[in-house]
Amino acid sequence: MSLVVVHFWAPWAPQCVQMNDVMAELAKGHPQVSFVKLEAEAVPEVSEKYEISSVPTFLFFKNSQKIDQLDGAHAPELTKKVQRHASVGSFPPSGSEHPKEDLSLRLKKLTHAAPCMLFMKGTPQEPRCGFSKQMVEILNKHNIQFSSFDIFSDEEVRQGLKTYSNWPTYPQLYVSGELIGGLDIIKELEASKELDTICPKAPKLEERLKVLTNKASVMLFMKGNKQEAKCGFSKQILEILNSTGVEYETFDILEDEEVRQGLKTFSNWPTYPQLYVKGELVGGLDIVKELKENGELLPMLKGEN
């Protein structure tokens, strides 16, 4: 029953290189697990077969059967999945009661994982069924803070939760570990204005971003910080800013995934670093280089134009 973990990666993606290091560490701790790296673009037919649409993606196999998948560079999640799948079936199965009890304990933890938990098909960014998509839209419209669990990522949870909650379909919304219901019930609660009283509200991300972009008159959103840049572009922009002698503050987007994703939409600018003066986006490295060459950077940073 040995576990095989396949990392579909690309040499141009820094997050993949980073995850290769994570895999190397995991391999030390789990000698019984086989870790394999596949360059996604070099094996298109394999990538296509398993519908690999982004890197890094990790597939888990037992007995040549795919049993799980993880999209994205989530080291803690990868570690958890490796530990879970490596331990399952590596010791002799005891009475059939144990796994059941463990599952209900796991479901209890999952339903209590956040004040408001949505069990859905896919993720809020990429819902994989119409009902899940509508549910996410309603929750977002009401600015409700929620965490989600993709039931496609775990067949055991997908089947187990139906029994646990005595609710046969998805999506399912839980508040404080209690099942509220599926899409129809949420729609009813929305119509009767009760939804806002039941679910916890999020501090509006847009408000947070407004405050952050105005935190200092010159604000740089970058990978890393003033002391240590974590990508070449961020490093270059620091050097340019330091050469102007202007005071500025930085924000490390690697520390905050919500800001990292939200700011791209807020500023309508897809990459980092991003430089703001008095809350207004100036641009990224190329624009800053251009302004410096034209002699316009210093006056702009000082707010003179």
Side-chain angles (χ1 to χ4, degrees), residues 7-134:
H7 177 196
F8 287 84
W9 75 297
W12 47 260
Q15 65 272 30
C16 287
V17 180
Q18 184 193 338
M19 291 308 281
N20 279 337
D21 297 344
V22 174
M23 280 207 359
E25 278 305 304
L26 284 171
K28 285 181 203 164
H30 299 277
Q32 77 285 20
V33 179
S34 312
F35 291 91
V36 182
K37 290 190 303 193
L38 279 184
E39 202 176 310
E41 289 159 358
V43 286
E45 62 291 340
V46 182
S47 298
E48 211 161 280
K49 178 180 174 186
Y50 291 105
E51 297 179 356
I52 308 294
S53 57
S54 62
V55 291
T57 294
F58 298 88
L59 299 186
F60 297 78
F61 292 90
K62 259 188 191 168
N63 301 339
S64 321
Q65 289 291 312
K66 178 184 156 188
I67 53 165
D68 205 347
Q69 175 168 348
L70 172 67
D71 298 311
H74 307 293
E77 196 53 33
L78 179 65
T79 308
K80 257 188 246 161
K81 283 186 186 282
V82 169
Q83 283 165 347
R84 200 167 82 231
H85 294 306
S87 62
V88 177
S90 57
F91 37 80
S94 52
S96 60
E97 283 316 295
H98 282 299
K100 251 203 167 108
E101 177 199 75
D102 290 348
L103 177 62
S104 73
L105 190 69
R106 236 188 108 207
L107 295 174
K108 188 176 178 183
K109 279 187 187 157
L110 276 174
T111 51
H112 285 85
C116 186
M117 266 307 281
L118 177 63
F119 291 82
M120 63 180 290
K121 294 181 179 177
T123 62
Q125 293 73 35
E126 284 186 33
R128 288 167 69 179
C129 85
F131 301 125
S132 291
K133 184 170 181 284
Q134 285 182 57

Side-chain angles (χ1 to χ4, degrees), residues 8 28 43 105 143 145 155 281 286:
F8 287 84
K28 285 181 203 164
V43 286
L105 190 69
N143 189 34
Q145 191 165 20
E155 191 55 30
L281 174 71
D286 291 342

Side-chain angles (χ1 to χ4, degrees), residues 25 28-29 41 101 116 121-122 133 138 145 153 169 180-181 243 265 268 288-290:
E25 278 305 304
K28 285 181 203 164
E41 289 159 358
E101 177 199 75
C116 186
K121 294 181 179 177
K133 184 170 181 284
I138 292 172
Q145 191 165 20
S153 71
T169 56
I180 303 298
S243 72
T265 319
N268 199 7
V288 170
K289 276 184 176 167
E290 213 172 284

